[in-house]
PDB file of all heavy atoms in Angstrom:
ATOM      1  N   HIS A 246     -15.357  -2.237 -50.716  1.00 96.00           N
ATOM      2  CA  HIS A 246     -15.718  -3.482 -50.059  1.00 96.00           C
ATOM      3  C   HIS A 246     -14.642  -4.526 -50.370  1.00 96.00           C
ATOM      4  O   HIS A 246     -14.044  -4.597 -51.408  1.00 96.00           O
ATOM      5  CB  HIS A 246     -17.037  -4.013 -50.552  1.00 96.00           C
ATOM      6  CG  HIS A 246     -18.189  -3.086 -50.305  1.00 96.00           C
ATOM      7  ND1 HIS A 246     -18.273  -2.265 -49.199  1.00 96.00           N
ATOM      8  CD2 HIS A 246     -19.352  -2.902 -50.978  1.00 96.00           C
ATOM      9  CE1 HIS A 246     -19.428  -1.580 -49.207  1.00 96.00           C
ATOM     10  NE2 HIS A 246     -20.083  -1.955 -50.296  1.00 96.00           N
ATOM     11  N   ILE A 247     -14.480  -5.422 -49.388  1.00 96.00           N
ATOM     12  CA  ILE A 247     -13.615  -6.616 -49.537  1.00 96.00           C
ATOM     13  C   ILE A 247     -14.436  -7.816 -49.162  1.00 96.00           C
ATOM     14  O   ILE A 247     -14.964  -7.902 -48.049  1.00 96.00           O
ATOM     15  CB  ILE A 247     -12.357  -6.532 -48.623  1.00 96.00           C
ATOM     16  CG1 ILE A 247     -11.540  -5.264 -48.947  1.00 96.00           C
ATOM     17  CG2 ILE A 247     -11.510  -7.781 -48.766  1.00 96.00           C
ATOM     18  CD1 ILE A 247     -10.418  -5.021 -47.960  1.00 96.00           C
ATOM     19  N   GLU A 248     -14.581  -8.748 -50.087  1.00 96.00           N
ATOM     20  CA  GLU A 248     -15.466  -9.874 -49.850  1.00 96.00           C
ATOM     21  C   GLU A 248     -14.946 -11.177 -50.442  1.00 96.00           C
ATOM     22  O   GLU A 248     -14.470 -11.205 -51.585  1.00 96.00           O
ATOM     23  CB  GLU A 248     -16.856  -9.578 -50.479  1.00 96.00           C
ATOM     24  CG  GLU A 248     -17.514  -8.349 -49.946  1.00 96.00           C
ATOM     25  CD  GLU A 248     -18.755  -7.941 -50.735  1.00 96.00           C
ATOM     26  OE1 GLU A 248     -18.852  -8.340 -51.936  1.00 96.00           O
ATOM     27  OE2 GLU A 248     -19.566  -7.244 -50.210  1.00 96.00           O
ATOM     28  N   LYS A 249     -15.001 -12.232 -49.671  1.00 94.00           N
ATOM     29  CA  LYS A 249     -14.744 -13.594 -50.173  1.00 94.00           C
ATOM     30  C   LYS A 249     -15.704 -14.533 -49.484  1.00 94.00           C
ATOM     31  O   LYS A 249     -15.617 -14.737 -48.266  1.00 94.00           O
ATOM     32  CB  LYS A 249     -13.292 -14.004 -49.876  1.00 94.00           C
ATOM     33  CG  LYS A 249     -12.938 -15.365 -50.352  1.00 94.00           C
ATOM     34  CD  LYS A 249     -12.998 -15.510 -51.872  1.00 94.00           C
ATOM     35  CE  LYS A 249     -12.681 -16.884 -52.382  1.00 94.00           C
ATOM     36  NZ  LYS A 249     -12.734 -16.998 -53.831  1.00 94.00           N
ATOM     37  N   LYS A 250     -16.655 -15.021 -50.186  1.00 93.00           N
ATOM     38  CA  LYS A 250     -17.707 -15.827 -49.596  1.00 93.00           C
ATOM     39  C   LYS A 250     -17.122 -16.977 -48.811  1.00 93.00           C
ATOM     40  O   LYS A 250     -16.156 -17.609 -49.167  1.00 93.00           O
ATOM     41  CB  LYS A 250     -18.624 -16.398 -50.671  1.00 93.00           C
ATOM     42  CG  LYS A 250     -19.553 -15.384 -51.300  1.00 93.00           C
ATOM     43  CD  LYS A 250     -20.408 -15.987 -52.385  1.00 93.00           C
ATOM     44  CE  LYS A 250     -21.487 -16.859 -51.799  1.00 93.00           C
ATOM     45  NZ  LYS A 250     -22.527 -16.088 -51.121  1.00 93.00           N
ATOM     46  N   GLN A 251     -17.705 -17.146 -47.598  1.00 91.00           N
ATOM     47  CA  GLN A 251     -17.381 -18.243 -46.704  1.00 91.00           C
ATOM     48  C   GLN A 251     -15.983 -18.142 -46.062  1.00 91.00           C
ATOM     49  O   GLN A 251     -15.545 -19.063 -45.359  1.00 91.00           O
ATOM     50  CB  GLN A 251     -17.478 -19.623 -47.416  1.00 91.00           C
ATOM     51  CG  GLN A 251     -18.835 -19.883 -48.003  1.00 91.00           C
ATOM     52  CD  GLN A 251     -19.940 -19.916 -46.976  1.00 91.00           C
ATOM     53  OE1 GLN A 251     -19.819 -20.512 -45.913  1.00 91.00           O
ATOM     54  NE2 GLN A 251     -21.077 -19.266 -47.250  1.00 91.00           N
ATOM     55  N   THR A 252     -15.342 -16.974 -46.177  1.00 95.00           N
ATOM     56  CA  THR A 252     -13.974 -16.859 -45.661  1.00 95.00           C
ATOM     57  C   THR A 252     -13.714 -15.566 -44.916  1.00 95.00           C
ATOM     58  O   THR A 252     -13.331 -15.548 -43.751  1.00 95.00           O
ATOM     59  CB  THR A 252     -12.944 -17.014 -46.800  1.00 95.00           C
ATOM     60  OG1 THR A 252     -13.204 -18.184 -47.570  1.00 95.00           O
ATOM     61  CG2 THR A 252     -11.507 -17.116 -46.186  1.00 95.00           C
ATOM     62  N   PHE A 253     -13.940 -14.432 -45.616  1.00 97.00           N
ATOM     63  CA  PHE A 253     -13.630 -13.134 -44.945  1.00 97.00           C
ATOM     64  C   PHE A 253     -14.440 -12.053 -45.613  1.00 97.00           C
ATOM     65  O   PHE A 253     -14.977 -12.161 -46.721  1.00 97.00           O
ATOM     66  CB  PHE A 253     -12.142 -12.798 -44.997  1.00 97.00           C
ATOM     67  CG  PHE A 253     -11.522 -12.691 -46.402  1.00 97.00           C
ATOM     68  CD1 PHE A 253     -11.602 -11.528 -47.131  1.00 97.00           C
ATOM     69  CD2 PHE A 253     -10.825 -13.781 -46.940  1.00 97.00           C
ATOM     70  CE1 PHE A 253     -11.056 -11.414 -48.394  1.00 97.00           C
ATOM     71  CE2 PHE A 253     -10.279 -13.680 -48.218  1.00 97.00           C
ATOM     72  CZ  PHE A 253     -10.392 -12.511 -48.940  1.00 97.00           C
ATOM     73  N   ALA A 254     -14.519 -10.895 -44.908  1.00 98.00           N
ATOM     74  CA  ALA A 254     -15.198  -9.716 -45.431  1.00 98.00           C
ATOM     75  C   ALA A 254     -14.625  -8.533 -44.732  1.00 98.00           C
ATOM     76  O   ALA A 254     -14.132  -8.564 -43.608  1.00 98.00           O
ATOM     77  CB  ALA A 254     -16.691  -9.794 -45.202  1.00 98.00           C
ATOM     78  N   GLY A 255     -14.705  -7.376 -45.378  1.00 97.00           N
ATOM     79  CA  GLY A 255     -14.206  -6.152 -44.742  1.00 97.00           C
ATOM     80  C   GLY A 255     -14.280  -4.963 -45.666  1.00 97.00           C
ATOM     81  O   GLY A 255     -15.100  -4.905 -46.568  1.00 97.00           O
ATOM     82  N   GLN A 256     -13.347  -4.072 -45.431  1.00 96.00           N
ATOM     83  CA  GLN A 256     -13.327  -2.769 -46.162  1.00 96.00           C
ATOM     84  C   GLN A 256     -11.869  -2.330 -46.325  1.00 96.00           C
ATOM     85  O   GLN A 256     -10.988  -2.712 -45.580  1.00 96.00           O
ATOM     86  CB  GLN A 256     -14.079  -1.713 -45.430  1.00 96.00           C
ATOM     87  CG  GLN A 256     -13.621  -1.583 -43.951  1.00 96.00           C
ATOM     88  CD  GLN A 256     -14.056  -0.337 -43.254  1.00 96.00           C
ATOM     89  OE1 GLN A 256     -13.920   0.764 -43.804  1.00 96.00           O
ATOM     90  NE2 GLN A 256     -14.615  -0.491 -42.077  1.00 96.00           N
ATOM     91  N   GLY A 257     -11.662  -1.532 -47.372  1.00 95.00           N
ATOM     92  CA  GLY A 257     -10.379  -0.917 -47.564  1.00 95.00           C
ATOM     93  C   GLY A 257     -10.505   0.552 -47.830  1.00 95.00           C
ATOM     94  O   GLY A 257     -11.601   1.039 -48.146  1.00 95.00           O
ATOM     95  N   THR A 258      -9.422   1.286 -47.722  1.00 95.00           N
ATOM     96  CA  THR A 258      -9.416   2.688 -48.044  1.00 95.00           C
ATOM     97  C   THR A 258      -8.222   3.010 -48.943  1.00 95.00           C
ATOM     98  O   THR A 258      -7.136   2.423 -48.792  1.00 95.00           O
ATOM     99  CB  THR A 258      -9.335   3.586 -46.793  1.00 95.00           C
ATOM    100  OG1 THR A 258      -9.317   4.962 -47.164  1.00 95.00           O
ATOM    101  CG2 THR A 258      -8.142   3.253 -45.934  1.00 95.00           C
ATOM    102  N   TYR A 259      -8.432   3.952 -49.882  1.00 94.00           N
ATOM    103  CA  TYR A 259      -7.367   4.392 -50.737  1.00 94.00           C
ATOM    104  C   TYR A 259      -6.574   5.505 -50.071  1.00 94.00           C
ATOM    105  O   TYR A 259      -5.579   5.977 -50.660  1.00 94.00           O
ATOM    106  CB  TYR A 259      -7.963   4.882 -52.073  1.00 94.00           C
ATOM    107  CG  TYR A 259      -8.632   3.812 -52.854  1.00 94.00           C
ATOM    108  CD1 TYR A 259     -10.023   3.847 -53.075  1.00 94.00           C
ATOM    109  CD2 TYR A 259      -7.938   2.784 -53.459  1.00 94.00           C
ATOM    110  CE1 TYR A 259     -10.667   2.873 -53.826  1.00 94.00           C
ATOM    111  CE2 TYR A 259      -8.562   1.778 -54.188  1.00 94.00           C
ATOM    112  CZ  TYR A 259      -9.940   1.867 -54.363  1.00 94.00           C
ATOM    113  OH  TYR A 259     -10.569   0.872 -55.114  1.00 94.00           O
ATOM    114  N   VAL A 260      -6.985   5.950 -48.906  1.00 93.00           N
ATOM    115  CA  VAL A 260      -6.376   7.097 -48.243  1.00 93.00           C
ATOM    116  C   VAL A 260      -5.941   6.678 -46.833  1.00 93.00           C
ATOM    117  O   VAL A 260      -6.785   6.511 -45.931  1.00 93.00           O
ATOM    118  CB  VAL A 260      -7.318   8.295 -48.175  1.00 93.00           C
ATOM    119  CG1 VAL A 260      -6.637   9.465 -47.454  1.00 93.00           C
ATOM    120  CG2 VAL A 260      -7.781   8.689 -49.563  1.00 93.00           C
ATOM    121  N   TYR A 261      -4.663   6.493 -46.659  1.00 93.00           N
ATOM    122  CA  TYR A 261      -4.084   6.252 -45.299  1.00 93.00           C
ATOM    123  C   TYR A 261      -3.025   7.305 -45.057  1.00 93.00           C
ATOM    124  O   TYR A 261      -2.124   7.468 -45.856  1.00 93.00           O
ATOM    125  CB  TYR A 261      -3.477   4.833 -45.214  1.00 93.00           C
ATOM    126  CG  TYR A 261      -2.639   4.642 -43.979  1.00 93.00           C
ATOM    127  CD1 TYR A 261      -3.200   4.749 -42.717  1.00 93.00           C
ATOM    128  CD2 TYR A 261      -1.266   4.437 -44.088  1.00 93.00           C
ATOM    129  CE1 TYR A 261      -2.407   4.611 -41.565  1.00 93.00           C
ATOM    130  CE2 TYR A 261      -0.463   4.305 -42.955  1.00 93.00           C
ATOM    131  CZ  TYR A 261      -1.060   4.382 -41.696  1.00 93.00           C
ATOM    132  OH  TYR A 261      -0.282   4.287 -40.546  1.00 93.00           O
ATOM    133  N   ARG A 262      -3.146   7.944 -43.911  1.00 91.00           N
ATOM    134  CA  ARG A 262      -2.235   9.012 -43.550  1.00 91.00           C
ATOM    135  C   ARG A 262      -1.347   8.502 -42.420  1.00 91.00           C
ATOM    136  O   ARG A 262      -1.824   8.185 -41.349  1.00 91.00           O
ATOM    137  CB  ARG A 262      -3.022  10.231 -43.105  1.00 91.00           C
ATOM    138  CG  ARG A 262      -2.143  11.417 -42.723  1.00 91.00           C
ATOM    139  CD  ARG A 262      -2.977  12.595 -42.219  1.00 91.00           C
ATOM    140  NE  ARG A 262      -3.918  13.064 -43.228  1.00 91.00           N
ATOM    141  CZ  ARG A 262      -4.868  13.958 -42.987  1.00 91.00           C
ATOM    142  NH1 ARG A 262      -5.107  14.383 -41.771  1.00 91.00           N
ATOM    143  NH2 ARG A 262      -5.650  14.333 -43.993  1.00 91.00           N
ATOM    144  N   GLN A 263      -0.052   8.434 -42.666  1.00 93.00           N
ATOM    145  CA  GLN A 263       0.882   7.999 -41.609  1.00 93.00           C
ATOM    146  C   GLN A 263       0.939   8.958 -40.436  1.00 93.00           C
ATOM    147  O   GLN A 263       0.857  10.173 -40.632  1.00 93.00           O
ATOM    148  CB  GLN A 263       2.324   7.847 -42.196  1.00 93.00           C
ATOM    149  CG  GLN A 263       2.570   6.572 -42.975  1.00 93.00           C
ATOM    150  CD  GLN A 263       4.036   6.438 -43.298  1.00 93.00           C
ATOM    151  OE1 GLN A 263       4.564   7.209 -44.105  1.00 93.00           O
ATOM    152  NE2 GLN A 263       4.673   5.446 -42.718  1.00 93.00           N
ATOM    153  N   LEU A 264       1.050   8.363 -39.257  1.00 94.00           N
ATOM    154  CA  LEU A 264       1.199   9.163 -38.054  1.00 94.00           C
ATOM    155  C   LEU A 264       2.632   9.697 -37.974  1.00 94.00           C
ATOM    156  O   LEU A 264       3.592   9.006 -38.229  1.00 94.00           O
ATOM    157  CB  LEU A 264       0.907   8.256 -36.830  1.00 94.00           C
ATOM    158  CG  LEU A 264       0.963   8.912 -35.453  1.00 94.00           C
ATOM    159  CD1 LEU A 264      -0.128   9.953 -35.265  1.00 94.00           C
ATOM    160  CD2 LEU A 264       0.884   7.835 -34.369  1.00 94.00           C
ATOM    161  N   LYS A 265       2.739  10.985 -37.562  1.00 93.00           N
ATOM    162  CA  LYS A 265       4.019  11.608 -37.452  1.00 93.00           C
ATOM    163  C   LYS A 265       4.129  12.354 -36.094  1.00 93.00           C
ATOM    164  O   LYS A 265       3.103  12.861 -35.595  1.00 93.00           O
ATOM    165  CB  LYS A 265       4.330  12.596 -38.575  1.00 93.00           C
ATOM    166  CG  LYS A 265       4.359  11.946 -39.968  1.00 93.00           C
ATOM    167  CD  LYS A 265       4.726  12.929 -41.043  1.00 93.00           C
ATOM    168  CE  LYS A 265       4.694  12.282 -42.409  1.00 93.00           C
ATOM    169  NZ  LYS A 265       5.761  11.245 -42.532  1.00 93.00           N
ATOM    170  N   ASP A 266       5.332  12.405 -35.536  1.00 92.00           N
ATOM    171  CA  ASP A 266       5.517  13.155 -34.313  1.00 92.00           C
ATOM    172  C   ASP A 266       5.844  14.605 -34.606  1.00 92.00           C
ATOM    173  O   ASP A 266       5.819  15.032 -35.776  1.00 92.00           O
ATOM    174  CB  ASP A 266       6.593  12.521 -33.404  1.00 92.00           C
ATOM    175  CG  ASP A 266       7.980  12.503 -34.079  1.00 92.00           C
ATOM    176  OD1 ASP A 266       8.195  13.271 -35.024  1.00 92.00           O
ATOM    177  OD2 ASP A 266       8.837  11.726 -33.590  1.00 92.00           O
ATOM    178  N   ASP A 267       6.185  15.389 -33.616  1.00 90.00           N
ATOM    179  CA  ASP A 267       6.397  16.843 -33.785  1.00 90.00           C
ATOM    180  C   ASP A 267       7.581  17.096 -34.714  1.00 90.00           C
ATOM    181  O   ASP A 267       7.712  18.196 -35.274  1.00 90.00           O
ATOM    182  CB  ASP A 267       6.626  17.484 -32.437  1.00 90.00           C
ATOM    183  CG  ASP A 267       5.379  17.480 -31.568  1.00 90.00           C
ATOM    184  OD1 ASP A 267       4.270  17.295 -32.129  1.00 90.00           O
ATOM    185  OD2 ASP A 267       5.486  17.629 -30.308  1.00 90.00           O
ATOM    186  N   GLN A 268       8.558  16.144 -34.763  1.00 92.00           N
ATOM    187  CA  GLN A 268       9.719  16.327 -35.611  1.00 92.00           C
ATOM    188  C   GLN A 268       9.520  15.750 -37.019  1.00 92.00           C
ATOM    189  O   GLN A 268      10.425  15.746 -37.842  1.00 92.00           O
ATOM    190  CB  GLN A 268      10.939  15.690 -34.984  1.00 92.00           C
ATOM    191  CG  GLN A 268      11.476  16.423 -33.748  1.00 92.00           C
ATOM    192  CD  GLN A 268      10.613  16.253 -32.539  1.00 92.00           C
ATOM    193  OE1 GLN A 268      10.207  15.124 -32.222  1.00 92.00           O
ATOM    194  NE2 GLN A 268      10.316  17.318 -31.845  1.00 92.00           N
ATOM    195  N   GLY A 269       8.294  15.249 -37.296  1.00 92.00           N
ATOM    196  CA  GLY A 269       8.019  14.677 -38.604  1.00 92.00           C
ATOM    197  C   GLY A 269       8.432  13.250 -38.786  1.00 92.00           C
ATOM    198  O   GLY A 269       8.401  12.726 -39.883  1.00 92.00           O
ATOM    199  N   ASN A 270       8.809  12.562 -37.683  1.00 93.00           N
ATOM    200  CA  ASN A 270       9.213  11.166 -37.750  1.00 93.00           C
ATOM    201  C   ASN A 270       7.970  10.263 -37.798  1.00 93.00           C
ATOM    202  O   ASN A 270       6.924  10.564 -37.168  1.00 93.00           O
ATOM    203  CB  ASN A 270      10.071  10.810 -36.545  1.00 93.00           C
ATOM    204  CG  ASN A 270      11.352  11.620 -36.466  1.00 93.00           C
ATOM    205  OD1 ASN A 270      12.041  11.731 -37.457  1.00 93.00           O
ATOM    206  ND2 ASN A 270      11.613  12.193 -35.295  1.00 93.00           N
ATOM    207  N   SER A 271       8.074   9.152 -38.493  1.00 96.00           N
ATOM    208  CA  SER A 271       7.010   8.174 -38.592  1.00 96.00           C
ATOM    209  C   SER A 271       7.593   6.797 -38.358  1.00 96.00           C
ATOM    210  O   SER A 271       8.818   6.621 -38.276  1.00 96.00           O
ATOM    211  CB  SER A 271       6.291   8.228 -39.946  1.00 96.00           C
ATOM    212  OG  SER A 271       7.215   7.967 -40.986  1.00 96.00           O
ATOM    213  N   PHE A 272       6.739   5.798 -38.226  1.00 97.00           N
ATOM    214  CA  PHE A 272       7.184   4.446 -38.090  1.00 97.00           C
ATOM    215  C   PHE A 272       7.875   3.951 -39.413  1.00 97.00           C
ATOM    216  O   PHE A 272       7.446   4.368 -40.500  1.00 97.00           O
ATOM    217  CB  PHE A 272       6.040   3.507 -37.762  1.00 97.00           C
ATOM    218  CG  PHE A 272       5.393   3.765 -36.459  1.00 97.00           C
ATOM    219  CD1 PHE A 272       4.069   4.231 -36.403  1.00 97.00           C
ATOM    220  CD2 PHE A 272       6.061   3.585 -35.240  1.00 97.00           C
ATOM    221  CE1 PHE A 272       3.441   4.464 -35.179  1.00 97.00           C
ATOM    222  CE2 PHE A 272       5.458   3.842 -34.049  1.00 97.00           C
ATOM    223  CZ  PHE A 272       4.149   4.308 -34.005  1.00 97.00           C
ATOM    224  N   PRO A 273       8.861   3.078 -39.282  1.00 97.00           N
ATOM    225  CA  PRO A 273       9.428   2.518 -40.526  1.00 97.00           C
ATOM    226  C   PRO A 273       8.438   1.650 -41.265  1.00 97.00           C
ATOM    227  O   PRO A 273       7.596   0.950 -40.640  1.00 97.00           O
ATOM    228  CB  PRO A 273      10.630   1.694 -40.005  1.00 97.00           C
ATOM    229  CG  PRO A 273      10.285   1.379 -38.558  1.00 97.00           C
ATOM    230  CD  PRO A 273       9.503   2.536 -38.062  1.00 97.00           C
ATOM    231  N   ASP A 274       8.570   1.654 -42.599  1.00 97.00           N
ATOM    232  CA  ASP A 274       7.668   0.843 -43.403  1.00 97.00           C
ATOM    233  C   ASP A 274       8.131  -0.608 -43.384  1.00 97.00           C
ATOM    234  O   ASP A 274       9.299  -0.908 -43.152  1.00 97.00           O
ATOM    235  CB  ASP A 274       7.687   1.303 -44.903  1.00 97.00           C
ATOM    236  CG  ASP A 274       6.981   2.636 -45.056  1.00 97.00           C
ATOM    237  OD1 ASP A 274       6.194   3.041 -44.185  1.00 97.00           O
ATOM    238  OD2 ASP A 274       7.265   3.316 -46.080  1.00 97.00           O
ATOM    239  N   PHE A 275       7.187  -1.515 -43.672  1.00 97.00           N
ATOM    240  CA  PHE A 275       7.535  -2.891 -43.924  1.00 97.00           C
ATOM    241  C   PHE A 275       8.330  -2.963 -45.235  1.00 97.00           C
ATOM    242  O   PHE A 275       8.033  -2.217 -46.217  1.00 97.00           O
ATOM    243  CB  PHE A 275       6.281  -3.774 -44.052  1.00 97.00           C
ATOM    244  CG  PHE A 275       5.616  -4.042 -42.731  1.00 97.00           C
ATOM    245  CD1 PHE A 275       4.473  -3.277 -42.366  1.00 97.00           C
ATOM    246  CD2 PHE A 275       6.050  -4.966 -41.859  1.00 97.00           C
ATOM    247  CE1 PHE A 275       3.856  -3.476 -41.156  1.00 97.00           C
ATOM    248  CE2 PHE A 275       5.417  -5.182 -40.634  1.00 97.00           C
ATOM    249  CZ  PHE A 275       4.334  -4.451 -40.257  1.00 97.00           C
TER     250      PHE A 275
END
Side-chain angles (χ1 to χ4, degrees):
H246 299 328
I247 301 171
E248 300 170 338
K249 181 64 180 179
K250 288 178 73 70
Q251 302 300 314
T252 310
F253 60 83
Q256 51 165 311
T258 178
Y259 297 112
V260 180
Y261 167 63
R262 182 184 298 170
Q263 280 189 292
L264 181 66
K265 297 183 183 296
D266 63 17
D267 294 339
Q268 288 74 46
N270 299 311
S271 58
F272 295 115
D274 289 342
F275 289 98

